[in-house]
Amino acid sequence: SVTAKPVHGVIVEVGRTLTATDIQGSYRLNNLLPGEYEIIVRHGLYKEKSAKIRILGQKLQNFTLDTIF
């Protein structure tokens, strides 16, 4: 978020795989094969964001979310 605080309940989508962030703003997507993906994050109080990522092994992807108001 713009306050740099973790956001709980953000939906994280890669292909047909969905998860949500926990209370600490963390998420995990398991069983993604190596390759290029578009990752999309959304939450009702923030603007949707997306990014292209390449998975070669474990990958850390952080986002800063902007409020919609």
Side-chain angles (χ1 to χ4, degrees):
S1 72
V2 293
T3 63
K5 293 183 180 179
V7 179
H8 175 256
V10 174
I11 301 301
V12 181
E13 177 181 354
V14 175
R16 294 183 179 183
T17 303
L18 295 172
T19 193
T21 59
D22 62 20
I23 193 85
Q24 296 154 337
S26 298
Y27 66 93
R28 178 178 292 272
L29 295 163
N30 295 316
N31 302 319
L32 292 176
L33 297 174
E36 293 187 9
Y37 296 90
E38 179 178 26
I39 186 169
I40 302 168
V41 293
R42 55 176 77 87
H43 186 282
L45 300 176
Y46 299 92
K47 294 178 184 175
E48 183 176 295
K49 281 218 170 166
S50 65
K52 300 282 185 189
I53 60 171
R54 175 178 278 160
I55 306 255
L56 299 175
Q58 289 190 356
K59 171 83 175 174
L60 176 64
Q61 183 70 50
N62 291 318
F63 288 91
T64 300
L65 299 175
D66 301 316
T67 59
I68 58 173
F69 304 106

